[in-house]
Amino acid sequence: MGFLQKIQQFMYGRNGFDSYTFFLLILTLIISTVNFFVWGYWASLVLYIIQLLILGYAAFRILSKSVHKRSAENRRFQKIWNGVKNFFILQKNRIRDIKTHRYRKCRYCKATLRLKRRRGKHTVRCPKCRGEFKVNIVV
Ligand SMILES: [Zn+2]
C-alpha cells in the first residue's frame, strides 16, 4: 500500500481540513510574526505557548472523528467570520458612498439599506420586508 493510500485510510472518518482550521493556522502565523518583534522573555514565551495550544487544537480538529461536532463548530466560525467580513465591507462602502448615500438599518428585519443622501426626515420602505419607517439624515 502506497504512502498516500495509508494517509487516506488514516484520515477516513476524520474531520480533516476546514476553513476554521485554516483560520487557526493563519492565526498562529500572525502570532509568530508578532512574536518576532516581541523582545521580553516572558511575553515571548507566553505567545509561543499560545501558538502551540492553537496548533494543538488545529491538529485535534483535523484528526477528530466527531465530524458532526467539528462541522457544527465550522459553521459557527463561518457565521462569525461572515459577520466580521460584512462589517468591513459595509465600512468600505460607507466611505466610498459618503457623498451620495447613507446606510441605515431596517427597523424590522435589520437589513442594511443604502439610501440616497437627502437631508431631513423621510419615510422609507424596506425592499426586503416592505416595512415602513422614518429616517432622519442630518448630514
Ligand atoms: Zn426590512
Side-chain angles (χ1 to χ4, degrees):
M1 194 161 57
F3 182 66
L4 276 178
Q5 277 172 309
K6 271 184 186 164
I7 287 184
Q8 247 170 16
Q9 199 183 46
F10 178 73
M11 288 307 294
Y12 182 77
R14 293 174 196 265
N15 189 52
F17 206 77
D18 58 19
S19 50
Y20 185 26
T21 302
F22 183 71
F23 169 78
L24 292 173
L25 294 179
I26 296 291
L27 195 63
T28 61
L29 275 181
I30 292 170
I31 293 173
S32 67
T33 309
V34 168
N35 210 356
F36 188 75
F37 298 99
V38 171
W39 291 101
Y41 175 77
W42 288 107
S44 192
L45 186 70
V46 166
L47 283 180
Y48 187 65
I49 290 170
I50 289 172
Q51 214 179 312
L52 280 184
L53 288 176
I54 296 172
L55 272 180
Y57 181 55
F60 160 76
R61 294 198 76 257
I62 290 172
L63 300 176
S64 174
K65 285 186 171 176
S66 312
V67 177
H68 281 290
K69 272 187 195 169
R70 299 291 89 78
S71 60
E73 285 167 6
N74 196 43
R75 276 195 300 277
R76 272 201 300 273
F77 161 76
Q78 283 172 328
K79 220 175 149 189
I80 295 169
W81 180 252
N82 282 335
V84 172
K85 206 171 69 183
N86 289 339
F87 173 79
F88 282 106
I89 289 172
L90 178 63
Q91 301 318 311
K92 197 190 78 187
N93 291 345
R94 274 201 165 139
I95 293 167
R96 185 194 63 197
D97 298 340
I98 198 156
K99 283 185 176 160
T100 54
H101 293 83
R102 288 294 175 263
Y103 289 79
R104 291 289 186 274
K105 258 204 173 104
C106 169
R107 175 194 285 195
Y108 305 103
C109 70
K110 308 291 174 218
T112 304
L113 310 182
R114 183 170 175 261
L115 309 168
K116 278 221 167 74
R117 180 189 169 206
R118 283 187 298 145
R119 286 198 181 93
K121 289 176 181 164
H122 313 286
T123 306
V124 286
R125 183 191 287 264
C126 170
K128 269 195 181 161
C129 70
R130 312 247 119 230
E132 276 190 11
F133 59 100
K134 285 196 160 63
V135 292
N136 187 13
I137 295 175
V138 183
V139 282

